[in-house]
Every structure is written in C-alpha cells, then in structure tokens.
Amino acid sequence: MPHPTRRFALALLAGLCAAPCAQAQAPWPAKPIRMIVPLAAGSAVDNAARIVAQKMGQNLGQSIVIDNKPGAAGLIGAGEVAKAAPDGYTLGGFNDSIMTMLPNMNAKMPWDIVRDFEPVSLVATVEWGLVVPTDAHEKTAADLIAAAKKAPGQINYGSGGNGSPQHIAMALFASQSGVQMKHVPYKGATQAAMGVAGKEVDTAFQGIATVTSLIKAGKVRLIGVTTPKRMPQYPDVPTVSESGLAGFEFNSWFAIMAPAGTPKDIVQRLSTEVAKALADPEVRDKLNAQGLTPRGTTPEDLGTAMKAQLAKYGALIRQNGITAD
C-alpha cells in the first residue's frame, strides 16, 4: 500500500491533470467562432453571413463573430482561413468568385480551394441585378446595350475588383451582347455600388443584397434582374433575359468553408446547424428580403457543386478572355 504522503501526492497530481484534461475534451463549441468574410462589410455575402451566423450562434450557444478581411478579390482573407487551425473555431464565408472564379484566373494561387478547405454548406444563392444612377437615361438592359454600341468603350462599369463576381458578370454580359465597356475595379462590392450611386461609374451588376438599401433610398435604379423569372420583391423590374439579352442568367453563392483537416463531426455539425438556421421563418424572410435564396446543402453536395462550377467557369473565362490583371 502506498505511503499516505505518496497517496496525497498522487491525488494532487491527478487533480492538477483533471482540469486541463477536461478542458481538452470539452464539447465543441466551447468558445466563440470566428467567420472570416474576405469581402467588404455591406456586401451581399456579408449581409447573408450576419443573418445566418446570428441564428446559428443562438442555437449553438456560442457567438459566431464576422471578421471582414477584404482585399485582392478575397485572396487574402481566404488565405487566412486556409492557414487557420482546423479546430472548428475559424470558418470562411465565401462567394463563388473566391471558390471557382479566381482559381481559374490566377496562375500562382496562394492556396488550393480543393486541397486547403473543407466544404461545409452552400448556404444561399445571391440573386443579382443591373443598376444605374437614379437619373440615368437607361431604363432596361436593352437601353444599356444600345448606349454601349453607340459609344464603344465609353460606358464604364464598377466591380468589387479584378476577378470579382461583378467583373465576371459584366464581362460576360458585354461579350454576349457584343459591346465594349470599360472596367473600373473598386476595393469591394459595396464601394462599387456606391460608385454607381455617386455617378463615378455608369452601371454595375450587383448582388441584390448589396444594393437593396440604395434602391430603397432612391440612390440607384434597378433596371434588370438576372434571375430566370422576375423577382417577387421587384415585380415591375424585367429580367435581363426578357429585356435585352435573351438567356442571360447569373447568381452567386454564399458558402461556408472550413480549413482542411477540420474534424468531420464538426463539419457535419456545422452543416446541420446551417440547415437548422435556414428552417427558421424569420431567417428565411430576412434573406428573401435581401434578394437571397436560402439553400443549405450537405458538405458533399457543396464539394460536388464546387468542382462542377470550377470547370464551368474555367471554360467561360478562357472563352471570353477574362483575366484578373
């Protein structure tokens, strides 16, 4: 039998070990979660992330803090997610430009979207529209095309940066309609939207969520939506397809990604929590009001969609000669 003093020492040692051992095995999440959004505050993805993250945080019992890291069309913020500890406490709130457009336009990517990340969920699709300054002469997409044909290269459009969804959308629009337009890159989608409102640029494609407040305030005019059918929120606004460029459609993603190596059970729990948050009627109403369509997918479905979209945009970008330079 151990000496009493030795028993005391062993008990003390066990007690000292108990706290850190218990802490190491604490169920996830045991502290707030950071979601890095590599886009400007007020952008469509940022708005969606804040709506969904707030509800997820309530359900999880831990806050999800949005951390905006704009710059280089998302490369910088996404890189921070890629390098983060794969413990479920750092996530990325990405658009599909970061996931499937930029990798097709940069020969030397600082990270690999397939290798360095774990798909969690395609949370929502961002519906898009064509905006002009409130007092612009153009009332439809056809008007914009006509104006661009009269003055090749004189109509300028704003985007959130080279390789951003705004850039891709307008480059495809110009290519398919046979017009030349001048690209003016800003440091984020929100700044590009303000560029239209301030008449620094003539037009822009934008996620509806990014320009909702500007439309309501009468600072920009929505002249077309890129959905297959007119949006219930804007029944008087024609689709671009019906009013100027037949067959033209465009939307973008808000998807959640985690660093590669994040435990599968945490990834699955996050995906389940996204679905749970999106099932809430108030969350759905908020997203719909912002021009967002709630989705919610499994990690596997997001991974499949991401690879398919990588191939799709690769072909489109090469065909249209779009570059990130």
Side-chain angles (χ1 to χ4, degrees):
M1 177 180 290
H3 189 276
T5 304
R6 187 180 177 190
R7 286 202 303 271
F8 175 79
L10 290 171
L12 179 61
L13 183 61
L16 290 172
C17 177
C21 289
Q23 186 177 10
Q25 296 172 0
W28 180 93
K31 62 181 180 180
I33 299 163
R34 180 170 67 136
M35 183 184 294
I36 295 175
V37 176
L39 304 157
S43 62
V45 167
D46 176 69
N47 289 337
R50 292 177 187 277
I51 292 168
V52 176
Q54 182 180 22
K55 188 63 180 179
M56 288 177 66
Q58 290 174 358
N59 292 339
L60 284 166
Q62 291 286 353
S63 60
I64 299 179
V65 181
I66 304 298
D67 186 3
N68 295 96
K69 297 278 186 177
L75 284 174
I76 297 171
E80 191 168 333
V81 178
K83 295 174 184 176
D87 56 9
Y89 291 103
T90 302
L91 305 173
F94 295 171
N95 62 6
D96 51 339
S97 170
I98 292 167
M99 299 165 66
T100 63
M101 297 179 191
L102 286 176
N104 281 302
M105 289 184 284
N106 290 272
K108 296 182 179 180
M109 288 288 292
W111 39 261
D112 184 292
I113 191 65
V114 176
R115 182 193 64 215
D116 296 330
F117 299 92
E118 299 284 352
V120 174
S121 178
L122 172 54
V123 184
T125 49
V126 183
E127 309 305 346
W128 280 59
L130 184 62
V131 294
V132 296
T134 306
D135 60 357
H137 296 298
E138 293 79 20
K139 300 293 193 295
T140 65
D143 292 340
L144 182 64
I145 293 170
K149 286 184 175 179
K150 285 182 181 178
Q154 299 302 304
I155 302 292
N156 55 27
Y157 67 94
S159 84
N162 288 321
S164 65
Q166 298 82 24
H167 182 196
I168 298 294
M170 191 63 82
L172 291 174
F173 175 83
S175 175
Q176 291 178 21
S177 58
V179 300
Q180 295 178 1
M181 302 175 72
K182 183 180 179 182
H183 179 215
V184 180
Y186 286 78
K187 291 184 178 180
T190 307
Q191 292 91 328
M194 293 304 298
V196 178
K199 303 180 185 179
E200 296 172 357
V201 291
D202 301 307
T203 187
F205 272 113
Q206 284 279 358
I208 298 293
T210 305
V211 291
T212 296
S213 61
L214 293 174
I215 295 169
K216 290 181 177 179
K219 294 183 178 179
V220 300
R221 185 166 70 242
L222 182 66
I223 64 171
V225 293
T226 62
T227 46
K229 298 180 180 179
R230 295 192 183 197
M231 295 180 65
Q233 302 95 316
Y234 300 99
D236 297 329
V237 178
T239 67
V240 171
S241 180
E242 74 178 279
S243 64
L245 189 57
F248 185 86
E249 296 178 17
F250 189 87
N251 66 19
S252 59
W253 297 354
F254 162 41
I256 295 178
M257 302 285 279
T262 300
K264 297 295 183 184
D265 59 332
I266 292 179
V267 170
Q268 187 56 57
R269 174 76 184 282
L270 282 164
S271 178
T272 300
E273 291 296 337
V274 168
K276 184 177 177 182
L278 292 178
D280 184 271
E282 185 177 353
V283 170
R284 297 183 70 85
D285 287 346
K286 286 180 179 179
L287 291 172
N288 287 328
Q290 292 280 334
L292 293 142
T293 302
R295 300 293 184 189
T297 68
T298 65
E300 294 76 19
D301 284 346
L302 173 56
T304 300
M306 182 178 71
K307 290 174 183 175
Q309 188 118 309
L310 267 170
K312 170 189 169 184
Y313 277 127
L316 286 170
I317 287 165
R318 287 190 297 273
Q319 178 184 346
N320 291 278
I322 300 168
T323 68
D325 299 325

